[in-house]
Amino acid sequence: MEQQLREKIASQKASIVNLPTLTSIVHETGLTSPETKARARLIKELSDDEEQLELLLESKRVAAVVRLQDELHPPQNSEGCPICLETIKHVNFMTIIRFYCCGGWICRQCSDEREAKYKAEKFDEMFHGRCPLCRERIPDANDHKKTRTITAKHANKGRAWAQTYIGTCYLRGMNGFALDKKKGLQFLKQAADQRDPEALFAIAFVYKEETLERDESKCVYYLKEAADLGHTDAQQELALTYSTHEKEKRLHYTTLAASQGDAKACDMLGAHFMYAECGLTKSLVLAKHYCEKNLEDELSAYIFSLALYQLGLERFERIMEIPGHSPVPKASFWARKAQEGDSPPIRGNATELLSMLENAAKSRCTNCRKEAGCSSFKRCVRCLGAWYCGKECQVQHWKAGHKVDCIKRMI
């Protein structure tokens, strides 16, 4: 696959190297001419293949990191889901749903499918409100007394997941448990002795947040224990404890967490690729790829917007208005999303990027490229990312390809 892509990319580059540049074609024939569209399509095809190659190489890098981790710390709690029979490599609360009645579990995918069917049909056709494993009726989530009784029985039998649940409830004084930090830590340590990743992760935060005592070395120790058992939150948190002088470890655990779909880890990898951190080469494609996984986060929204803008500049010779290939509407949309965040630096960067996008776009008609001068242009009210000297140009530009680029703005 990799070799085929490389050969295809080389062939594409050889076929277009002697063709006129996009800039010269636009200058001679205009933004919406057939010649411009044809040249833009060639650029898009080449860019798509180059992006596919980058993603393939990144998947190999991630696979190598996961393979190394498995060699150093072989998975200790892999089990098969009793519903779909798929092997769950790391059994923890991020990969399974636990049933307190019998202590059994099913994988997240099976649970999500069941939940989606219930929401669609308002009827649990698969399990009829009963545990799919023991067929007991599933306790009401708000019936804390019953849940406490059931989990206490499991904890008394030495089941780590129940000890972790009770310990966490005591630590936080929730779900009908009185606040008792010492008792909570006692239960958590019982579970940790059985190498329960949830308990190890919870204890790490006991020492991080001064629940009983603050001890950074103990926090890192328990984080690493949980991380090496495949706990994604622990992997992401552990990565943050490593300084810039330990960039290999930081990248290693960030990659592990991202490989399991951890949103914060994807944010971190996106930033690392955007700013060439942790020994990585700058890649706008991979920055966009990882940040797109968590666009609700303000940093990811900003980096995604910036990556779209810079990729557009690189690929289309700084010509951002070609209908059907303009990154301006989408980049502007996500820059506005980043402006809604709580971080002043990110809001400031997003505002600066948005101003740059708008100032460049509104200086001339997006369709005919007539300069604005003293006259005021009308903008597309749907995406706020295109300006026109009149209705005729707006209609022409929509038909020429703006309908592909346009993205509905946030109210």
Side-chain angles (χ1 to χ4, degrees):
M1 180 65 174
E2 179 184 342
Q3 186 58 32
Q4 291 175 340
L5 275 174
R6 291 187 183 279
E7 291 174 359
K8 185 179 180 182
I9 290 169
S11 174
Q12 288 172 312
K13 288 182 175 179
S15 67
I16 66 176
V17 68
N18 294 320
L19 295 178
T21 64
L22 179 64
T23 303
S24 63
I25 294 174
V26 170
H27 181 72
E28 292 178 9
T29 65
L31 280 170
T32 59
S33 68
E35 294 83 359
T36 296
K37 290 183 178 180
R39 188 71 171 87
R41 278 196 298 271
L42 290 177
I43 294 173
K44 178 69 164 55
E45 290 172 4
L46 175 59
S47 299
D48 286 347
D49 287 334
E50 289 178 330
E51 185 166 327
Q52 188 178 351
L53 178 60
E54 276 203 69
L55 292 173
L56 176 62
L57 294 175
E58 171 62 5
S59 69
K60 290 185 176 183
R61 183 192 74 81
V62 172
V65 171
V66 173
R67 190 163 54 249
L68 174 61
Q69 179 69 10
D70 288 346
E71 291 172 359
L72 295 173
H73 305 279
Q76 298 182 13
N77 55 347
S78 299
E79 294 183 45
C81 172
I83 300 297
C84 66
L85 305 182
E86 287 291 324
T87 298
I88 307 303
K89 185 176 178 181
H90 299 292
V91 176
N92 55 55
F93 87 103
M94 299 193 71
T95 59
I96 68 163
I97 294 294
R98 179 81 63 180
F99 296 101
Y100 294 159
C101 45
C102 60
W105 57 268
I106 62 175
C107 71
R108 284 272 176 182
Q109 183 175 345
C110 287
S111 176
D112 290 344
E113 289 175 359
R114 174 191 178 193
E115 186 69 21
K117 192 173 183 65
Y118 176 76
K119 286 182 178 179
E121 301 178 7
K122 301 299 180 185
F123 179 68
D124 187 358
E125 181 182 297
M126 189 182 299
F127 304 127
H128 301 282
R130 294 182 178 276
C131 172
L133 307 177
C134 70
R135 304 307 298 164
E136 289 291 326
R137 185 162 295 280
I138 297 174
D140 190 316
N142 296 317
D143 190 348
H144 301 312
K145 184 177 180 180
K146 187 171 184 178
T147 301
R148 177 175 177 170
T149 301
I150 293 173
T151 52
K153 289 180 180 179
H154 287 298
N156 290 335
K157 293 178 181 178
R159 291 172 181 167
W161 66 265
Q163 293 167 340
T164 300
Y165 172 82
I166 292 175
T168 303
C169 289
Y170 273 125
L171 273 178
R172 300 177 182 175
M174 65 181 193
N175 295 348
F177 288 80
L179 181 64
D180 190 331
K181 296 179 180 179
K182 289 185 178 180
K183 199 168 185 178
L185 185 57
Q186 180 183 350
F187 273 99
L188 288 175
K189 286 188 173 180
Q190 289 175 7
D193 288 342
Q194 300 181 60
R195 306 278 293 161
D196 182 77
E198 305 297 343
L200 292 164
F201 181 65
I203 292 175
F205 271 79
V206 168
Y207 291 114
K208 179 181 179 180
E209 298 176 344
E210 299 184 15
T211 304
L212 292 174
E213 61 174 301
R214 183 175 178 81
D215 190 321
E216 187 174 342
S217 62
K218 287 184 179 180
C219 172
V220 173
Y221 168 80
Y222 282 106
L223 277 178
K224 190 172 187 311
E225 288 290 298
D228 288 338
L229 287 169
H231 194 289
T232 53
D233 283 350
Q235 290 167 345
Q236 184 263 325
E237 289 288 340
L238 181 62
L240 293 174
T241 67
Y242 292 118
S243 66
T244 53
H245 301 296
E246 298 176 291
K247 58 186 179 183
E248 290 183 1
K249 292 181 180 179
R250 186 184 184 100
L251 179 60
H252 177 81
Y253 283 102
T254 303
T255 300
L256 287 175
S259 73
Q260 297 190 69
D262 184 82
K264 290 183 180 179
C266 289
D267 298 341
M268 291 165 62
L269 270 186
H272 291 337
F273 276 111
M274 173 58 77
Y275 302 113
E277 298 169 339
C278 294
L280 294 172
T281 302
K282 180 173 181 176
S283 170
L284 296 174
V285 166
L286 295 178
K288 176 172 75 76
H289 167 70
Y290 280 110
C291 288
E292 193 170 14
K293 296 175 182 290
N294 187 30
L295 288 172
E296 292 303 310
D297 178 81
E298 57 194 302
L299 177 60
S300 282
Y302 168 68
I303 292 177
F304 183 73
S305 174
L306 183 60
L308 286 175
Y309 170 66
Q310 293 186 359
L311 282 169
L313 291 177
E314 287 184 5
R315 292 171 173 175
F316 295 96
E317 301 174 23
R318 306 187 73 83
I319 301 174
M320 307 289 277
E321 307 95 339
I322 300 173
H325 302 282
S326 174
V328 175
K330 198 171 184 179
S332 299
F333 177 94
W334 290 110
R336 291 189 187 94
K337 181 70 176 178
Q339 282 183 313
E340 297 177 356
D342 298 325
S343 170
I346 295 175
R347 284 205 309 268
N349 290 337
T351 299
E352 184 179 344
L353 174 60
L354 188 59
S355 297
M356 183 167 56
L357 287 166
E358 291 186 344
N359 289 338
K362 69 183 179 183
S363 63
R364 62 182 66 198
C365 175
T366 311
N367 184 59
C368 68
R369 307 202 86 187
K370 172 185 174 182
E371 293 189 359
C374 296
S375 59
S376 60
F377 286 169
K378 295 181 179 180
R379 72 198 303 188
C380 174
V381 296
R382 188 171 187 268
C383 69
L384 303 181
W387 276 258
Y388 304 102
C389 59
K391 185 176 181 180
E392 184 177 348
C393 270
Q394 184 174 8
V395 172
Q396 289 177 358
H397 194 245
W398 178 264
K399 292 179 179 179
H402 182 61
K403 60 185 175 182
V404 176
D405 305 322
C406 193
I407 179 171
K408 189 174 182 180
R409 65 188 175 96
M410 292 172 288
I411 304 299

